[in-house]
Amino acid sequence: MIKNTEQQPRRGRPPKANRSNADTKALLISAGVETLSEFGFSATGLDTILKKVGVPKGSFYHYFSSKEAYGLEVVDAYNSYFIAKLNRYLSQSDAPYLERIINFTQSAARSMHKYDYNRGCLIGNLNQELNHLNNEFNTKLVQCYESWQSLIQVCLDQAQQDNVISSTVNTHQMSEYFWIGWEGAVMRAKLTKTPYPLTLYTEMFLRALLR
């Protein structure tokens, strides 16, 4: 039996199933994104996720050294998915710049409705749990928000260059403001189980840009 080392921290054996180790790890991460988006990190036990995927707890540690290490990889996966989604909407060459932001927010509203407003933003959920998470999560979440802000800023910069919004608009501040407010709108939508907070916030954000 191979002993654990610093270079090989994982333990346990991969599950005996007709799928590759990579497939199993991907399924665990996917299940984590779904579950943590709804219930959060602290309230979710590993047993809930393992049952979804059909992986024994001992095998879990073949892929992840701890629940925290697993959570960090789930954050990375969610961030990659979300950046791809943002890029898809914000780079729509056939749509006006501000309409691209509207298209994104409407897509998010449809997604929340699809899951009866039980799922929110994974990053926003974790942001509310920072007192129970280690500093690595804090760093990760800041990096996620900064990457999302940069994509909104690119869209606003392009709008500014084409005189769609005033040259006096601070696009860096407004892109940061977008996500600060958006996360609040998502939480209110979960509370009220309606898309109204999302549409109201989008409208007010655009009005602020066009003053």
Side-chain angles (χ1 to χ4, degrees):
M1 181 176 179
I2 299 175
K3 295 181 179 180
N4 291 334
T5 66
E6 290 183 359
Q7 291 76 29
Q8 193 175 21
R10 295 172 182 170
R11 58 190 185 277
R13 296 178 180 177
K16 295 178 180 179
N18 293 323
R19 61 192 178 208
S20 70
N21 290 349
D23 288 340
T24 301
K25 184 175 182 179
L27 285 171
L28 284 166
I29 291 175
S30 177
V33 170
E34 293 175 5
T35 307
L36 301 187
S37 295
E38 184 169 351
F39 300 106
F41 185 80
S42 301
T44 300
L46 285 179
D47 289 343
T48 301
I49 295 168
L50 296 175
K51 186 176 181 180
K52 276 189 175 184
V53 182
V55 173
K57 183 172 286 188
S59 297
F60 172 86
Y61 293 104
H62 172 76
Y63 303 101
F64 309 99
S65 60
S66 65
K67 183 184 177 184
E68 287 71 24
Y70 169 66
L72 291 169
E73 291 207 40
V74 169
V75 169
D76 284 339
Y78 182 85
N79 188 42
S80 295
Y81 150 79
F82 202 78
I83 286 175
K85 181 175 183 177
L86 276 172
N87 274 322
R88 186 165 65 251
Y89 284 101
L90 297 180
S91 62
Q92 292 175 307
S93 58
D94 59 341
Y97 299 115
L98 300 187
E99 190 173 313
R100 299 176 193 182
I101 296 175
I102 295 172
N103 291 342
F104 161 72
T105 61
Q106 288 180 340
S107 171
R110 290 192 298 270
S111 180
M112 290 194 73
H113 176 75
K114 177 181 178 181
Y115 295 105
D116 196 28
Y117 299 93
N118 290 320
R119 292 187 191 175
C121 172
L122 173 61
I123 305 305
N125 287 353
L126 293 175
N127 198 17
Q128 299 176 68
E129 301 184 60
L130 287 180
N131 288 342
H132 307 289
L133 303 175
N134 62 38
N135 289 335
E136 287 183 85
F137 279 94
N138 192 318
T139 301
K140 283 273 188 189
L141 301 189
V142 170
Q143 290 172 345
C144 289
Y145 283 131
E146 288 177 346
S147 62
W148 302 356
Q149 287 165 203
S150 67
L151 295 177
I152 290 288
Q153 184 174 352
V154 167
C155 184
L156 295 183
D157 285 342
Q158 292 172 336
Q160 197 169 57
Q161 290 166 13
D162 284 2
N163 298 315
V164 175
I165 61 177
S166 171
S167 61
T168 62
V169 171
N170 186 320
T171 58
H172 177 76
Q173 286 185 345
M174 289 302 290
S175 62
E176 184 173 6
Y177 169 74
F178 177 84
W179 291 110
I180 291 173
W182 179 254
E183 292 296 348
V186 168
M187 287 190 288
R188 182 65 67 89
K190 288 183 68 176
L191 176 66
T192 61
K193 291 190 177 295
T194 71
Y196 178 70
L198 305 177
T199 55
L200 175 63
Y201 175 73
T202 303
E203 178 183 346
M204 300 308 294
F205 176 76
L206 295 178
R207 284 187 183 184
L209 287 173
L210 296 172
R211 284 176 184 168

